Amino acid sequence: MPIDMLNKIEHLGIAVKSIEESAIMYEKLLGKPSYKTEAVESEGVSTMFFQIGESKIELLEATNPSSPIGKFIEKKGEGIHHIAYDVTDIEAELKRLKAEGFELIHETPKDGADNKRIAFLHPKSTGGVLVELCQEK
Ligand code: ZN
């Protein structure tokens, strides 16, 4: 078994209706301010990040209702949206996971927030949990 396939949980993605409103609660909960906000135009999403030890919390707010986060909020409401694993070689991991029978939402990595290359696995093939792979640029 090769080492360093999935290194750690990089972040948890949490869908919120309003980052501005949720930030107030998360700052109290986590006891610290966020270190970054960033819009990802291609995904129709605004993000806010909190660092918790080695991992992060990513708040996600839809910038338009037809974006993936907009649809998620409409269907399920606010809550945990995805779990993101840090990987060393995202292309190699996508190839490995595809060969293992996982369904890829992105066949090739794309640019995500927080200086990452990212790709998602379909929750149909991961027991209902949306999985993100991310590699530091
Ligand atoms: Zn994420």
Side-chain angles (χ1 to χ4, degrees):
M1 194 112 163
I3 52 160
D4 290 335
M5 294 192 298
L6 304 183
N7 299 322
K8 64 175 182 182
I9 293 174
E10 213 281 333
H11 64 268
L12 290 177
I14 298 174
V16 300
K17 287 180 183 161
S18 160
I19 277 182
E20 205 185 323
E21 281 173 30
S22 295
I24 298 166
M25 186 275 282
Y26 274 95
E27 282 174 12
K28 282 183 203 161
L29 177 68
L30 305 174
K32 57 163 75 171
S34 82
Y35 69 92
K36 180 189 251 186
T37 57
E38 186 179 348
V40 184
E41 300 286 343
S42 61
E43 286 293 292
V45 79
S46 292
T47 65
M48 175 180 271
F49 286 90
F50 294 84
Q51 184 80 43
I52 304 297
E54 279 208 318
S55 303
K56 295 163 188 163
I57 297 292
E58 174 187 38
L59 303 184
L60 302 146
E61 176 191 335
T63 52
N64 75 71
S66 61
S67 66
I69 294 297
K71 287 180 190 155
F72 179 90
I73 292 270
E74 191 185 302
K75 239 195 263 180
K76 301 188 174 172
E78 295 183 305
I80 292 181
H81 178 258
H82 65 268
I83 179 164
Y85 296 99
D86 178 70
V87 299
T88 306
D89 182 344
I90 195 167
E91 274 92 358
E93 279 311 295
L94 287 171
K95 202 171 156 192
R96 180 182 74 83
L97 293 166
K98 191 175 182 176
E100 293 280 10
F102 291 97
E103 188 179 327
L104 310 183
I105 294 177
H106 305 107
E107 294 280 335
T108 55
K110 53 185 217 147
D111 286 344
D114 205 29
N115 200 38
K116 296 283 194 298
R117 300 169 67 219
I118 64 164
F120 283 91
L121 308 184
H122 201 288
K124 260 195 293 197
S125 62
T126 53
V129 178
L130 180 60
V131 170
E132 175 183 354
L133 303 180
C134 58
Q135 182 183 349
E136 188 91 34
K137 273 189 202 164

